[in-house]
Amino acid sequence: MLENGEHFFEGVEKLLEIWFEESPNNENDLRNISRSDWEKVLGNVNCEIISTSKNDTIDAFVLSESSMFVSKRRWILKTCGTTTPLKCLSLLLQLAGENGFDVVADLFYSRKNFTRPEVQVKSTDEMLLQLCNSIVLTFQITPHQGFTEEVTYLDSIFPNGRSYCLGSMNLECWYLYTFSRSDVKSALKQISVSEKDVDSEPDQTIEILMQDLDPETMSIFYKSKFASAKEATKESGIDTILPSMHIDDFLFDPCGYSMNGINDKGEYMTIHITPENQFSYVSFETNVALTNYRKLINQVINTFKPGKFIVTIFANKCSLAYETMKELEVEYSKGSHWKRTDMQCCNFPSYNLLFAQYSHNDKICDNL
């Protein structure tokens, strides 16, 4: 609740992904970490587990604020609202070490700029003032009150990390912090790192971050419209986006939606929806390996009908997506209702990154 009585929820998520170096002991596995330990980790984040799904390659957790995925040596946490994912790093690294993973190979922390950064509470005095005035604000908690603060916190754990801002800093942007063990090895000249060493297995991630969603589509994700998540999933067409996924979904009361999907290849997808019209937000993420992402992007935006969206694609040199990312660099036809307002590409030691931003003036459903 804001100062004027207006309801607000920050749908923009903070995304943290960590890859650990392979262990010589094949029995070592992050999935050996117990649920009670994961609950302790998430207690530092200010969220909790709602449901779980798993197969032979990946464990997926639907959380009270978004999702967590655990594979043999990869961990992903995606949380919205006023959660504090960076605060769990110390315990996470301790638990990983206890399970045979002592060295972080790659770390990625990213988020879009907050929808309502002006409601951030910057100090204890300000917080006490609001409480004395009986005003309840939605606010981010240290170390998430700004990207500079997040970078400082991460640098205290990963001294050789690097931070970036893609997009327009005074409009819409996307923040990224990376740490790569290959950077450290090269800087210290301890060993020679070949491309094969850096990219031991294919990896790619696509995120589509959508705002100003179609109100009729968003109405599906209210408990007053559908009683169950399964009904909302089917009515919206979410189940047809990547049909091979086994879906675990949840419909919040009075509104809001989260889902995880996993398949036997160890691939995942996750969707999170904040449907309120004043601050509607939908995120889609998957690591499915495709040679062309245009069809997938079109299906996602035609499902949710945003007014604007951001696409990010990470791919390493072993990935099918590594070269095909260039397809999105091409300007789309003048007949399309979508206007690309920004595009940037970055080359990292292990990965390539593509960032693209699009706006839709009349919200008429259309392909790229």
Side-chain angles (χ1 to χ4, degrees):
M1 193 75 68
L2 300 185
E3 188 172 342
N4 60 2
E6 174 191 359
H7 168 65
F8 173 74
F9 180 79
E10 185 62 74
V12 170
E13 295 123 333
K14 311 166 187 87
L15 176 59
L16 183 59
E17 177 172 342
I18 298 178
W19 286 81
F20 293 90
E21 285 200 350
E22 294 187 42
S23 169
N25 184 349
N26 197 47
E27 297 299 314
N28 291 334
D29 195 318
L30 293 176
R31 291 170 294 171
N32 293 333
I33 297 174
S34 67
R35 177 174 173 132
S36 62
D37 280 334
W38 285 129
E39 288 172 344
K40 292 175 185 176
V41 169
L42 295 172
N44 291 323
V45 183
N46 296 317
C47 64
E48 57 189 32
I49 298 169
I50 291 177
S51 64
T52 62
S53 57
K54 61 179 65 178
N55 57 30
D56 291 339
T57 54
I58 188 169
D59 293 355
F61 300 77
V62 174
L63 308 178
S64 54
E65 281 83 7
S66 302
S67 295
M68 181 172 73
F69 296 92
V70 185
S71 303
K72 183 178 179 67
R73 65 183 187 96
R74 182 193 65 200
W75 174 81
I76 299 171
L77 180 65
K78 188 170 195 170
T79 62
C80 57
T82 58
T83 50
T84 52
L86 297 186
K87 282 191 173 182
C88 79
L89 276 171
S90 179
L91 180 55
L92 172 76
L93 296 175
Q94 175 189 326
L95 292 171
E98 291 171 0
N99 284 271
F101 295 99
D102 298 312
V103 180
V104 172
D106 288 288
L107 174 141
F108 307 94
Y109 174 73
S110 64
R111 66 171 174 84
K112 185 186 173 297
N113 59 298
F114 291 127
T115 304
R116 297 287 297 273
E118 73 275 12
V119 302
Q120 311 305 304
V121 174
K122 297 297 183 183
S123 69
T124 302
D125 288 343
E126 287 178 294
M127 192 183 306
L128 290 173
L129 178 61
Q130 302 299 336
L131 291 173
C132 290
N133 292 332
S134 299
I135 296 167
V136 180
L137 285 175
T138 298
F139 59 91
Q140 298 298 326
I141 302 167
T142 295
H144 295 283
Q145 292 184 337
F147 187 57
T148 300
E149 185 179 57
E150 292 167 324
V151 169
T152 300
Y153 190 91
L154 285 162
D155 278 346
S156 70
I157 304 172
F158 305 98
N160 293 284
R162 300 179 182 181
S163 58
Y164 305 86
C165 178
L166 285 74
S168 176
M169 292 182 67
N170 62 332
L171 294 173
E172 300 283 342
C173 63
W174 184 76
Y175 298 109
L176 172 67
Y177 183 97
T178 68
F179 168 84
S180 177
R181 181 66 175 166
S182 61
D183 283 349
V184 178
K185 289 177 178 178
S186 297
L188 298 178
K189 297 182 180 179
Q190 291 178 339
I191 65 173
S192 175
V193 182
S194 69
E195 286 190 1
K196 185 177 180 181
D197 292 328
V198 172
D199 304 322
S200 58
E201 60 186 279
D203 181 46
Q204 58 284 313
T205 303
I206 178 171
E207 262 197 303
I208 307 173
L209 310 176
M210 297 164 274
Q211 291 179 282
D212 299 344
L213 286 304
D214 174 59
E216 185 176 350
T217 302
M218 291 297 97
S219 70
I220 295 171
F221 305 102
Y222 280 76
K223 273 285 182 89
S224 58
K225 184 75 173 283
F226 290 104
S228 72
K230 185 176 180 180
E231 291 175 291
T233 297
K234 185 174 180 60
E235 178 66 21
S236 62
I238 286 173
D239 58 332
T240 67
I241 294 176
L242 290 171
S244 68
M245 295 289 177
H246 169 73
I247 290 177
D248 179 19
D249 47 15
F250 189 83
L251 188 62
F252 292 88
D253 189 9
C255 65
Y257 172 93
S258 289
M259 69 79 69
N260 291 335
I262 56 176
N263 65 22
D264 293 337
K265 298 178 183 178
E267 296 172 333
Y268 70 88
M269 70 177 282
T270 186
I271 296 173
H272 302 284
I273 299 174
T274 301
E276 291 95 327
N277 188 51
Q278 298 89 341
F279 43 88
S280 60
Y281 183 84
V282 175
S283 69
F284 170 90
E285 179 184 344
T286 186
N287 69 334
V288 167
L290 298 174
T291 56
N292 189 325
Y293 282 106
R294 183 178 293 191
K295 181 180 178 181
L296 176 61
I297 294 170
N298 285 335
Q299 188 167 4
V300 171
I301 63 174
N302 287 337
T303 296
F304 298 108
K305 304 178 180 65
K308 57 183 178 181
F309 66 96
I310 286 172
V311 175
T312 65
I313 302 176
F314 268 106
N316 67 8
K317 294 179 177 68
C318 295
S319 169
L320 290 171
Y322 187 76
E323 292 297 331
T324 58
M325 289 167 59
K326 295 179 180 179
E327 294 174 3
L328 291 180
E329 296 180 32
V330 180
E331 284 286 354
Y332 299 111
S333 67
K334 293 182 179 179
S336 171
H337 291 284
W338 290 105
K339 178 183 179 182
R340 194 181 71 196
T341 56
D342 205 345
M343 175 167 279
Q344 294 174 251
C345 301
C346 296
N347 296 316
F348 299 106
S350 304
Y351 289 80
N352 273 0
L353 166 66
L354 175 71
F355 165 92
Q357 187 174 6
Y358 301 88
S359 63
H360 198 330
N361 293 327
D362 55 14
K363 294 191 180 182
I364 297 174
C365 179
D366 191 26
N367 293 332
L368 292 176

